Amino acid sequence: MELRILGAHNAESKTTRLESHLIDKVLVLDAGGLTRSLSFEEQAGIRAVILSHRHFDHVRDLLPLGISLLNSGKTVDVYAIEDTVKFVSEKLLDGTLYPNFLEFPSPETPVFRMHTVEFFKEFDVLGYKAMAVPVYHAVPAAGFQIISGDTRLFYTGDTGKGLSEAWPHVNPNVLLTEVTFGNGDPDRAAVAGHLTPNLLEESLNDFKDLKGYIPKIIVAHMNPAWEATVRRELAEVEQRLGLDIQISEADMVLDI
Ligand SMILES: [Zn+2]
Ligand SMILES: [Zn+2]
């Protein structure tokens, strides 16, 4: 599985992009810094999108992607839990901001087709076995396990304390997760539903207790103001747990 990091932060600037990832050039995980990371040709190769939750930094680029694909004659399938589908259909793609890409250019071949997925119920997307698992966040949110061959990726999306409740339901060898704030701001992390290095470490220890191993860890969604601190604190977690943590950066391509 080729995992291309398109955006690895929770705030956008000239040098940081909102969260988005691309699997094997065809499957998108969250649509933050999506279109600004890809050529038109690469955008035309996208066949499906999985959205973790309705927050703007994860759904925003459906709009510019819709414009890019408008004349392609293709329909891209978008998968999410009910809350996200409802928001995207009724607020983002309702035709107010841009054409209604769920019916445009024609109801038979719209740019996007929404699919509501149930928690814990495996579904097929482009031949990948996918499954949504609830995670703790400020709004209803899902992590997604995506299996292809021997690769079992669990993408948590945005999540906070309580991530360990997902562990009995998934079996990843690669964990793509978030660390937004440093250990110095546990209150904000708790209110917003995000991880700090301490919270990630706790959850990885829970994982190890339950499964007897720790998957490969890739971290994204850093808050730029906390980034230097998060990197330092994650280096300490690496030392304590005796493992490597990959901190993702935009345009990084990982063979997982
Ligand atoms: Zn969020
Ligand atoms: Zn976010």
Side-chain angles (χ1 to χ4, degrees):
M1 189 184 283
E2 178 192 279
L3 174 66
R4 181 169 165 189
I5 309 294
L6 304 181
H9 289 86
N10 79 334
E12 187 180 60
S13 69
K14 192 172 178 180
T15 56
T16 59
R17 296 181 216 159
L18 301 179
E19 184 152 29
S20 187
H21 310 286
L22 183 62
I23 291 175
D24 296 335
K25 301 179 174 63
V26 292
L27 174 61
V28 170
L29 303 177
D30 280 337
L34 174 61
T35 47
R36 63 166 291 184
S37 303
L38 300 175
S39 67
F40 287 123
E41 194 180 2
E42 289 168 331
Q43 291 178 47
I46 293 170
R47 306 282 6 111
V49 176
I50 287 175
L51 301 173
S52 62
H53 65 298
R54 74 167 116 103
H55 275 157
F56 186 72
D57 56 322
H58 298 256
V59 303
R60 177 189 75 175
D61 273 5
L62 286 182
L63 290 174
L65 181 64
I67 291 291
S68 295
L69 301 179
L70 196 51
N71 298 316
S72 69
K74 292 177 188 160
T75 295
V76 169
D77 292 302
V78 181
Y79 300 84
I81 57 171
E82 187 176 6
D83 177 85
T84 313
V85 168
K86 193 169 155 58
F87 171 82
V88 167
S89 306
E90 294 178 5
K91 298 275 182 15
L92 192 70
L93 299 180
D94 68 338
T96 308
L97 297 167
Y98 260 176
N100 180 344
F101 293 128
L102 301 178
E103 293 178 6
F104 196 76
S106 77
E108 294 75 33
T109 53
V111 177
F112 296 122
R113 186 176 292 121
M114 302 299 297
H115 302 268
T116 302
V117 302
E118 310 278 334
F119 286 126
F120 309 122
K121 198 169 162 190
E122 207 167 72
F123 62 99
D124 178 276
V125 47
L126 307 174
Y128 300 88
K129 270 195 276 181
M131 183 179 69
V133 176
V135 294
Y136 284 92
H137 192 43
V139 299
F144 283 84
Q145 178 165 266
I146 295 155
I147 300 176
S148 173
D150 293 334
T151 303
R152 303 182 308 278
L153 170 69
F154 184 55
Y155 170 54
T156 67
D158 288 3
T159 183
K161 192 176 170 66
L163 175 61
S164 298
E165 289 180 31
W167 298 155
H169 306 286
V170 294
N171 200 25
N173 50 18
V174 182
L175 177 68
L176 173 56
T177 189
E178 69 129 278
V179 174
T180 304
F181 300 120
N183 291 333
D185 204 351
D187 295 343
R188 202 163 145 212
V191 169
H194 288 298
L195 292 179
T196 61
N198 275 347
L199 291 171
L200 176 64
E201 184 175 4
E202 266 176 40
S203 197
L204 292 178
N205 279 323
D206 289 342
F207 189 102
K208 193 173 182 186
D209 287 346
L210 188 69
K211 313 269 189 188
Y213 73 99
I214 293 183
K216 175 182 171 64
I217 312 295
I218 306 167
V219 165
H221 202 267
M222 276 176 297
N223 180 301
W226 281 101
E227 179 162 352
T229 304
V230 164
R231 284 177 181 271
R232 195 176 60 246
E233 291 173 347
L234 284 176
E236 292 164 10
V237 174
E238 284 181 314
Q239 289 221 320
R240 283 195 292 271
L241 297 185
L243 51 77
D244 290 332
I245 294 175
Q246 173 93 59
I247 296 177
S248 62
E249 288 175 28
D251 298 329
M252 191 179 258
V253 179
L254 302 166
D255 183 19
I256 60 170

